[in-house]
Amino acid sequence: MARLADYFVLVAFGPHPRGSGEGQGQILQRFPEKDWEDNPFPQGIELFCQPSGWQLCPERNPPTFFVAVLTDINSERHYCACLTFWEPAEPAQAAAGAEDAAGRDEEADEGGSGRLSPAASGPPGPLFAPKTLVLVSRLDHADVFRNSLGLIYTIHVEGLNVGLESVVGNLLTCVIPLAGGSQRTISLGAGDRQVIQTPLTESLPVSRCSVALLFRQLGISNVLSLFCAALTEHKVLFLSRSYQRLADACRGLLALLFPLRYSFTYVPILPAQLLEVLSTPTPFIIGVNAAFQAETQELLDVIVADLDGGTVTVPECVSVPPLPEPLQSQTHSVLSMVLDPELELADLAFPPPAASPSSLKMQDKELRAVFLRLFAQLLQGYRWCLHMVRIHPEPVIRFHKAAFLGQRGLVEDDFLMKVLEGMAFAGFVSERGVPYRPTDLFDELVAHEVARMRADESHPQRVLRHVKELAEQLYKNENPYPAVAMHKVQRPGEASHLRRAPRPFPRLDEGVVQWIVDQATAKMQGAPPAVKAERRTTVPSGPPMTAILERSSGLHGNSARRLEVVRNCISYVFEGKMLEAKKLLPAVLRALKGRAARRCLVQELHLHVQQNRAVLDHQQFDFVVRMMNCCLQDCTSLDEHGIAAALLPLVTAFCRKLSPGVTQFAYSCVQEHVVWSTPQFWESMFYGDVQAHIRALYLEPAEDWGPSQVGEAPAQDERSALDVASEQRRLWPTLSREKQQELVQKEESTVFSQAIHYANRMSYLLLPLDSSKSRLLRERAGLGDPESASNSLVTSSMAGSVAESYDTESGFEDAETCDVAGAVVRFINRFVDKVCTESGVTSEHLKGLHVMVPDIVQMHIETLEAVHRESKRLPPIQKPKLLRPRLLPGEECVLDGLRVYLLPDGREEGAGGSGGGPALLPAEGAVFLTTYRVIFTGMPTDPLVGEQVVVRSFPVAALTKEKRISVQTPVDQLLQDGLQLRSCTFQLLRMAFDEEVGSDSAEVFRKQLHRLRFPPDIRGTFAFTLGSAHTSGRPPRATKDKAPSLRTLSRNLVKNAKKTIGRQYVTRKKYNPPSWEHRGQPPPEDQEDEISVSEELEPSTLTPTSALKPSDRMTMSSLVERACCRDYQRLGLGTLSSSLSRAKSEPFRVSPVNRMYAICRSYPGLLIVPQSVQDNALQRVSRCYRQNRFPVVCWRSGRSKAVLLRSGGLHGKGVVGLFKAQNAPSPGQSQADSSSLEQEKYLQAVVSSMPRYADMSGRNTLSGFSSAHLGSHGKWGSVRASGRSGGLSGDVGSRLAGRDTLAPPQANGAPPDPGFLRPQRAALYIIGDKAQLKGVRPDPLQQWELVPIEVFEVRQVKTSFKKLLKACVPGCPATEPSPASFLRSLEDSEWLTQIHKLLQVSVLVVELLDSGSSVLVSLEDGWDITTQVVSLVQLLSDPFYRTLDGFRLLVEKEWLSFGHRFSHRGAHTLAGQSSGFTPVFLQFLDCVHQVHLQFPMEFEFSPFYLKFLGYHHVSRRFRTFLLDSDYERIELGLLYEEKGERRGPQPCRSVWEYVDRLSKRTPAFYNYMYAPEDAEVLRPYSNVSNLRVWDFYTEEALSEGPPYDWELAQGPPEPLEEERPDGGAPQSRRRVVWPCYDSRPRAQPDAISRLLEELQRLEAELGRPPERWKDTWDRVKAAQRLEGRLDGRGAPSSLLVSSVPHHRRSLGVYLPEGPVGSTLSLSLDSDQSSGSTTSGSRQAARRSTSTLYSQFQTAESENRSYEGTLYKKGAFMKPWKARWFVLDKTKHQLRYYDHRVDTECKGTIDLAEVEAVAPGTPTMGAPKTVDEKAFFDVKTTRRVYNFCAQDVPSAQQWVDQIQSCLSDA
């Protein structure tokens, strides 16, 4: 029973004490005057009566009523029902009010309001003051309060003849029951009657219509988000103009939260004076009048619900987690069915008659029913996760949150997580966790209806029916009986408030009221207490919980097979079958990702523990620990699946004997997991164990069934701890006092002993085995700093002080150890504090515990020291033997193998991904560092893969990035330090060091690697150090002496020049390219002498004359032998006869002006320039160009005679006149001026030296390329090149002022008449960077045209390449590998876009050259993109460069001689380290590869050749691609050292030499489809869609590493199937070829390679000397040609399709290729049945082989028709030599050898090309003794060969033989 009202208060308006004009409330009277003992008078009532503030009104307002809620300090709610009415103000009030009103009116006037101020309207009208009647009650009967206060007001207004005192007294003494559903009729003694209806159960909230109104005002989604916000402890603010609405809305929201109770600030109506409460940091639900909306604007973290506007605003910084799916959507749909039943029928053609909608009260209950169901679904099974920690004297209950989340499958769910951590849920557990109490609707629902709710999920109608049933119960709770008795309460008449009240509200007589109250109290005391016995029962637990959503856990579905594997593995371990166990282990570790397998493992291990101990041998121990670690690594810190909890007893059970008396337990090996340092885990474990022991206390011994696993339902007949507790609570009142004491003590000692046990356990898992390591502090912040871990509600200062004193007083010397121990002590003490306080342990016991903890830790540390010492002595686990890699001759090991694990790098094939095949990675092995490579060799860790050796290596020089990483080792799952090495050959070593590798060894490895990668000088690279061991006989200064020879030479030359010139000219230092200073070598000592000779030199000074010194002459002849000159001769671009005089008729000549590299360091020694330009002029021209790289000719078209020129970009300072803007003033002639003139003349000379093709078909506008408008004037833009940006040049145009028109060139013979300017194609196109050519004026005579193009810069190539590397070799396995992600990252890299641009520009140049115009490519510094374009143009235009020899020549000429900076771009030395790797040459090779794909029959070399060069141009194995120019190579003595001094077996210095040697042995570099068309110009498609990713970037073979070091790539031959070592019968001839492991081209060579191999094998069997594969191949081709002719077909036969049109050829056969060649099946009668090679894939010797054509002939006699010795004149400037010549009629060729027995042919002359054989004349250097008539010449289409026989008859015989051969053909 409770009082209906506690206090009646009368509050009136009073002036503000500080005279502020605003009034304030004053309590006139309160009854009773002294506080009730059980219920003190609430403070601040006067604020809540008028929440908007106390103010006077000019007119009388109608009375208002609302109920405010106050919460007292004990969080009891007091309901204040306020009825306010207005009375005329008393004079004092009025005076105060007038001031106030005047103040307000002035404000209003300023604000422009239309209200008249009282002063203006004569005497002020009457003012009305508010007065409020307040009832304060702890019961929420708003209607009764309204009626009662209304009655008092009515009595006053209507003047009824009833004493107000007696009404108030009766009201205060009225007592009603709290619950139970009874109806109580009361009367206040004024002829009134009211019926009070109590709810059936107290625990269910009473909502009347508030929930339905809330939904009506805000809508479903808004209410749901408010619901979630309130549950997850956010701040919620309601706004409305109506106070009653605010109160209802707040009540409705609380009703929805049932069964949880809202425990934070709850103020449905907040007074204006208290608005600052809104900025409190704690959550709240508050209602505020909408008038104060502005004050709520700046609240950043408050969710505002506007009831009048129907909106809910959630600020950006607040995230309200939604309900977990599918509950969110289900709740939403059920709510809409309840609120809008017509929705379902809206679309029906014949809707049924509308059912009458539920009344508002009923709808309210239906909405609440939906939320009740929601809670039942969310919290279903919660009772299985309750821990009974104490039963007596009071139950202490804890909830195991992690287990609940884990079993519901909602670990990641933000919403449920926050709800369970919230205060409301904590209250729920303490209130509803109690096992023996009254139950209500929610308990029934959550226990018995869960199955029904699951079944109904998919049937909306059944859900609705259930909702209606629940709603009935809720409705019945509030209205158990139909309302029979009517209220009878007098009300005031209509508009009674406007009538002038007879008098103000009277002052009541306190004495009368007090007397009535006292009377009633006395009567109550006399009456027996009407205690209604509560019906307490055991709360049903309901079915065990299930996951909210049956999620199948993806791949690791709980399949019986997996569990079987786990069981088998464990039984093998314990039976000692270690090999079997080892085979299963990887499968087990994979299976343990699944939850069921982990449970299974724990259960199986439990079976092998007897009496809490299981001693294992070392191997068993190792296996068990690995499986445990694997189990634990996926445990989160919460351990929601109870795996760590189940393993905890096991880690202290499994152990091994290290030595007598020293035992190592498993816990010392499983400490690395985060779960052990989580306090919540230990707490829930502790409570679980305490529950088991307490339960055992009360069970009969027979019933005891050991601690149950959390969350697992025990069998039916076993009673759970809750049942036991319920029984005990029922019996408790019946026990005697002594018995009760005894039980309490027993329970406390149980908790105490568990606390000690846990202190031990925690020290086991928290103290590291090697306590000197302070690992624990570093990795577990939770232990290191008290703040983060201290989440306990009670932080006892005692624990802290004990721990501190322990730190200071302990006898530890080592600070770090002390640190670890101290941290563990603090951690354990905090834990003990928290659990003991919560479990009600007395403070004496707690003190005792705090004293014990340091001793426990100390003891454990001492035990561990012995274990640590002994474990160090264990024999190491048998690790696999290190496999030593095979090394190249001359390659030495720098660091021997460091044990590492090679981890997967994101290429899926290696890990058994997309390509299929088993997982080769991770592999266990070692990394070796040699002078040349970084090599990993090892075996896959997965034993199912078998004995495969995994090799991955790359040249040290190719390393582009090295970074430290921290990774898990694949076997033990421990975190280890690792390294990730990335190379530009697209290999990636991602390694984790084994534990045995110390951090210092790893550091040594890094340092050595760095030293080898960036040697201080180029001489430190592998290519230089390689031969040093073999040539110890040479004097050490051999290479060093070369440099001075050049210097002395240049000194002499310069001295001569100076003599000639005299000293009157200023000498200027020449411009040094920056690469030189970067190199870090000292500049030449005599730089002063190295002048760039000034302007007016006589022509003779720099022209080589016969007066050259012998040393100069030697250099000249060396220069002449260089690749460039051979090529220039071939192209007919200029010849140098022996006297170095020049033929005047040629348009171009070879100029030796740069032979000392004085004009341009980065150009070759001999250059092709126009015939008409003097050498001394070149000096001046060169100054206008960057790096002095002036335009020189590098190729001439044989057909159109157009030439291709290359140069660096223009300098700002010496720009040609014709490029100048006209508007610059002339500052007078300067020296630079003359250079510009020279440059102008030079271009003029270039134009004049070309035959003009006047193309009348109209000018070629180059649409699409010349995107810049060429007519604008202005200066040159800054030209950005090679990563440096030159600023804008100075005053460019000023030097050539007034020279804006050019005289028409007479040299061309074009008449200077107006018709001369008719549209035509320009003779010369200058392709320059768009940025350079801004504002450039076109040449007025239209002899040349500027083509500005946008090219990428070198730094863009660098960044693009980095992204390409990342795309092809990601570095870490992708989360969801998909082809799309690779393509996306490929596109982001823009690599193919750059290749597209290069091809596009090259095709443009090819077109121009083909049409007869010459082209000058003048981009950046002229050594990167220029080189790429120029080389591509020549490759596309000239078939010669598409042969093996030609391509070599092209690279030597354009890349090496013209100074591409290989060392700088490859960052070969320490100086280049900062600039990084820029793959300009690789990009060029990629372009060639793209062309090769489109024209597979035009190239003599195979794609493998391109990959080979791509690999070795960065590998530094050969010297070819080192250094930046010929000049540097001469300085180091690289170019000409071979002369005479190199004899004997030396390793190949040059890549070309190596390719030659290799080509003789194997057709790897040869393209069998080579069938060129004559003079075919290739025009490849360049769109990105036509380009393919080069497989050089993506493929790898893990069986042998990169296949480009041929000696290493040939593995040992495999034994044939018949002679297998294990003696088993051969099963089959098949081999498994793994996509990522084997080299496919070697495992499955193409048809031709196979046939050649087969021939070679047959030759070896027959014992014949093997024939070279090339000869065999040539014979086959010849035979094919012959067959074609015999058939009468003019075209060659099917083998050599050559007349196919371009499209067919370009998009023709796409061949996969590899080190062996391509797969083209020929029309030979090959034996098709022998489709698979036996096991030849690994044959070591890929020597020359031969085809079936000559299989059974001893072809010696026929092949050599005639032979003998002839002298042959060598090529240009070479002497006569005697050779052995063989005339071969079969092959139709003349071959020559060094001597008779030589088997290697030195050259052949194809008789098909011979035009005539004629008598010859002896030339210089011919054999002196021979008759003149013994000379004869053989003229071929290519050149004239001069021969000389020993005598005249033999010469005659040779001529006859050759002639007969020709006539036969």
Side-chain angles (χ1 to χ4, degrees), residues 1111-1130:
S1111 63
D1112 297 16
R1113 230 187 244 134
M1114 191 194 85
T1115 312
M1116 283 307 301
S1117 65
S1118 305
L1119 286 176
V1120 169
E1121 278 182 25
R1122 292 292 291 141
C1124 304
C1125 278
R1126 294 207 302 279
D1127 203 38
Y1128 297 149
Q1129 263 177 303
R1130 182 183 71 81

Side-chain angles (χ1 to χ4, degrees), residues 826-891:
R826 284 193 293 275
F827 185 77
I828 296 177
N829 271 336
R830 276 200 302 275
F831 165 80
V832 164
D833 251 355
K834 178 166 188 218
V835 297
C836 291
T837 321
E838 289 183 358
S839 321
V841 173
T842 57
S843 54
E844 288 74 42
H845 277 154
L846 192 52
K847 270 191 195 137
L849 269 174
H850 280 314
V851 175
M852 287 162 74
V853 169
D855 301 342
I856 292 174
V857 172
Q858 181 52 47
M859 271 164 45
H860 190 59
I861 287 181
E862 283 161 15
T863 328
L864 281 178
E865 276 164 6
V867 173
H868 183 57
R869 194 174 56 243
E870 291 301 325
S871 67
K872 282 264 179 268
R873 296 187 188 150
L874 273 181
I877 302 167
Q878 277 289 295
K879 296 217 168 158
K881 194 164 87 261
L882 290 186
L883 302 161
R884 300 207 65 76
R886 300 168 57 198
L887 302 182
L888 288 172
E891 181 181 8

Side-chain angles (χ1 to χ4, degrees), residues 465-728:
R465 196 173 317 132
H466 189 202
V467 166
K468 296 237 162 102
E469 287 169 23
L470 288 174
E472 284 294 334
Q473 287 177 273
L474 288 171
Y475 187 75
K476 191 149 187 242
N477 179 57
E478 284 181 33
N479 312 294
Y481 311 113
V484 191
M486 293 299 295
H487 292 308
K488 177 181 170 215
V489 179
Q490 291 86 338
R491 295 188 50 167
E494 281 298 308
S496 61
H497 67 281
L498 295 177
R499 295 204 303 273
R500 195 175 179 94
R503 60 199 163 85
F505 194 86
R507 184 172 179 81
L508 304 186
D509 186 339
E510 290 94 350
V512 177
V513 177
Q514 188 61 47
W515 180 78
I516 299 175
V517 172
D518 291 344
Q519 289 284 105
T521 325
K523 199 190 306 175
M524 286 286 288
Q525 278 169 352
V531 176
K532 186 177 171 195
E534 289 184 290
R535 276 192 55 248
R536 298 203 290 179
T537 54
T538 301
V539 182
S541 288
M545 63 182 98
T546 52
I548 269 200
L549 200 51
E550 292 299 342
R551 293 193 180 89
S552 60
S553 55
L555 292 171
H556 309 295
N558 159 18
S559 66
R561 174 80 192 93
R562 280 174 200 276
L563 305 187
E564 192 56 32
V565 168
V566 175
R567 288 195 189 98
N568 289 348
C569 186
I570 292 174
S571 57
Y572 287 146
V573 168
F574 286 100
E575 288 162 17
K577 299 183 181 169
M578 287 305 156
L579 274 174
E580 294 297 321
K582 192 173 177 187
K583 275 185 196 162
L584 284 185
L585 189 65
V588 170
L589 296 184
R590 273 202 290 270
L592 286 177
K593 295 264 181 262
R595 210 158 69 216
R598 282 183 267 171
R599 285 239 173 83
C600 169
L601 174 84
V602 174
Q603 287 159 0
E604 289 294 309
L605 289 175
H606 266 294
L607 302 177
H608 292 279
V609 179
Q610 281 94 24
Q611 287 91 39
N612 293 339
R613 181 60 62 93
V615 184
L616 311 175
D617 67 23
H618 292 311
Q619 265 191 309
Q620 290 173 324
F621 185 79
D622 196 49
F623 270 108
V624 169
V625 163
R626 270 169 75 177
M627 289 192 271
M628 284 181 172
N629 269 324
C630 187
C631 251
L632 287 167
Q633 79 173 20
D634 289 324
C635 278
T636 60
S637 55
L638 282 176
D639 183 41
E640 57 277 348
H641 302 308
I643 302 298
L647 277 174
L648 192 55
L650 296 175
V651 296
T652 51
F654 287 107
C655 58
R656 60 174 169 186
K657 288 256 187 294
L658 290 178
S659 66
V662 179
T663 306
Q664 179 179 13
F665 284 89
Y667 57 72
S668 59
C669 306
V670 296
Q671 295 175 328
E672 294 285 327
H673 304 282
V674 60
V675 64
W676 305 129
S677 54
T678 314
Q680 291 89 326
F681 163 75
W682 288 107
E683 285 161 25
S684 52
M685 275 296 298
F686 173 82
Y687 291 138
D689 273 4
V690 167
Q691 165 170 285
H693 284 86
I694 294 240
R695 174 179 169 280
L697 268 183
Y698 294 106
L699 275 183
E700 304 304 312
E703 273 191 81
D704 196 357
W705 48 273
S708 81
Q709 283 254 304
V710 174
E712 286 186 11
Q716 290 309 310
D717 53 342
E718 294 164 343
R719 291 158 59 207
S720 72
L722 285 174
D723 300 339
V724 173
S726 169
E727 179 67 14
Q728 288 301 319

Side-chain angles (χ1 to χ4, degrees), residues 1667-1686:
E1667 193 180 8
R1668 299 243 308 283
W1669 70 267
K1670 189 79 172 76
D1671 299 347
T1672 314
W1673 175 244
D1674 290 344
R1675 266 211 320 280
V1676 175
K1677 275 166 71 170
Q1680 283 279 25
R1681 258 196 216 109
L1682 215 60
E1683 272 173 36
R1685 286 184 192 149
L1686 293 178

Side-chain angles (χ1 to χ4, degrees), residues 1777-1851:
K1777 283 199 175 151
R1779 306 271 194 191
W1780 182 259
F1781 275 74
V1782 175
L1783 182 65
D1784 183 340
K1785 288 188 176 174
T1786 319
K1787 288 193 172 175
H1788 210 57
Q1789 59 185 206
L1790 187 59
R1791 295 197 292 279
Y1792 57 95
Y1793 301 79
D1794 274 349
H1795 39 81
R1796 183 171 189 164
V1797 293
D1798 185 15
T1799 55
E1800 274 199 17
C1801 166
K1802 290 293 173 286
T1804 60
I1805 299 168
D1806 197 340
L1807 296 184
E1809 295 178 355
V1810 174
E1811 292 173 348
V1813 183
T1817 53
T1819 60
M1820 202 175 83
K1824 299 278 184 288
T1825 53
V1826 182
D1827 193 321
E1828 279 193 14
K1829 290 185 179 157
F1831 288 87
F1832 64 96
D1833 292 353
V1834 175
K1835 189 163 183 250
T1836 69
T1837 51
R1838 296 185 184 206
R1839 61 174 271 198
V1840 176
Y1841 293 85
N1842 316 57
F1843 293 110
C1844 159
Q1846 277 137 332
D1847 47 23
V1848 183
S1850 59

Side-chain angles (χ1 to χ4, degrees), residues 1444-1460:
L1444 274 161
D1445 290 343
F1447 193 73
R1448 166 187 176 170
L1449 214 138
L1450 178 68
V1451 173
E1452 283 186 328
K1453 175 178 71 161
E1454 298 299 341
W1455 290 87
L1456 298 168
S1457 294
F1458 273 100
H1460 172 64

Side-chain angles (χ1 to χ4, degrees), residues 307-622:
L307 295 173
D308 306 345
T311 59
V312 168
T313 319
V314 181
E316 280 175 24
C317 59
V318 174
S319 74
V320 179
L323 292 169
E325 282 297 348
L327 294 181
Q328 167 88 14
S329 44
Q330 285 172 7
T331 309
H332 203 291
S333 61
V334 180
L335 285 173
S336 68
M337 280 157 55
V338 169
L339 282 170
D340 187 3
E342 266 96 69
L343 183 64
E344 301 294 313
L345 317 172
D347 289 350
L348 297 183
F350 306 106
S356 58
S358 319
S359 67
L360 202 55
K361 275 192 179 177
M362 199 64 209
Q363 196 180 51
D364 180 271
K365 304 303 170 280
E366 286 170 5
L367 292 167
R368 279 181 53 197
V370 175
F371 283 87
L372 199 56
R373 274 182 51 121
L374 169 65
F375 272 112
Q377 285 168 293
L378 265 180
L379 301 178
Q380 175 241 316
Y382 78 97
R383 298 196 74 75
W384 293 102
C385 294
L386 292 175
H387 283 158
M388 282 300 307
V389 184
R390 292 288 294 271
I391 299 177
H392 303 314
E394 281 302 319
V396 176
I397 296 166
R398 286 285 160 267
F399 184 73
H400 192 347
K401 183 175 72 195
F404 182 76
L405 286 170
Q407 298 190 12
R408 297 308 309 274
L410 288 171
V411 184
E412 281 87 34
D413 184 59
D414 209 11
F415 174 79
L416 197 54
M417 191 78 157
K418 284 195 170 150
V419 171
L420 297 188
E421 281 168 355
M423 293 269 288
F425 189 75
F428 172 85
V429 170
S430 55
E431 179 188 326
R432 292 194 174 256
V434 182
Y436 187 65
R437 61 174 170 80
T439 59
D440 63 11
L441 180 58
F442 177 74
D443 294 311
E444 301 295 323
L445 190 62
V446 80
H448 304 310
E449 299 280 340
V450 172
R452 170 176 175 181
M453 288 193 285
R454 288 192 81 81
D456 288 354
E457 264 172 22
S458 47
H459 307 287
Q461 287 313 314
R462 278 159 56 183
V463 173
L464 205 53
R465 196 173 317 132
H466 189 202
V467 166
K468 296 237 162 102
E469 287 169 23
L470 288 174
E472 284 294 334
Q473 287 177 273
L474 288 171
Y475 187 75
K476 191 149 187 242
N477 179 57
E478 284 181 33
N479 312 294
Y481 311 113
V484 191
M486 293 299 295
H487 292 308
K488 177 181 170 215
V489 179
Q490 291 86 338
R491 295 188 50 167
E494 281 298 308
S496 61
H497 67 281
L498 295 177
R499 295 204 303 273
R500 195 175 179 94
R503 60 199 163 85
F505 194 86
R507 184 172 179 81
L508 304 186
D509 186 339
E510 290 94 350
V512 177
V513 177
Q514 188 61 47
W515 180 78
I516 299 175
V517 172
D518 291 344
Q519 289 284 105
T521 325
K523 199 190 306 175
M524 286 286 288
Q525 278 169 352
V531 176
K532 186 177 171 195
E534 289 184 290
R535 276 192 55 248
R536 298 203 290 179
T537 54
T538 301
V539 182
S541 288
M545 63 182 98
T546 52
I548 269 200
L549 200 51
E550 292 299 342
R551 293 193 180 89
S552 60
S553 55
L555 292 171
H556 309 295
N558 159 18
S559 66
R561 174 80 192 93
R562 280 174 200 276
L563 305 187
E564 192 56 32
V565 168
V566 175
R567 288 195 189 98
N568 289 348
C569 186
I570 292 174
S571 57
Y572 287 146
V573 168
F574 286 100
E575 288 162 17
K577 299 183 181 169
M578 287 305 156
L579 274 174
E580 294 297 321
K582 192 173 177 187
K583 275 185 196 162
L584 284 185
L585 189 65
V588 170
L589 296 184
R590 273 202 290 270
L592 286 177
K593 295 264 181 262
R595 210 158 69 216
R598 282 183 267 171
R599 285 239 173 83
C600 169
L601 174 84
V602 174
Q603 287 159 0
E604 289 294 309
L605 289 175
H606 266 294
L607 302 177
H608 292 279
V609 179
Q610 281 94 24
Q611 287 91 39
N612 293 339
R613 181 60 62 93
V615 184
L616 311 175
D617 67 23
H618 292 311
Q619 265 191 309
Q620 290 173 324
F621 185 79
D622 196 49

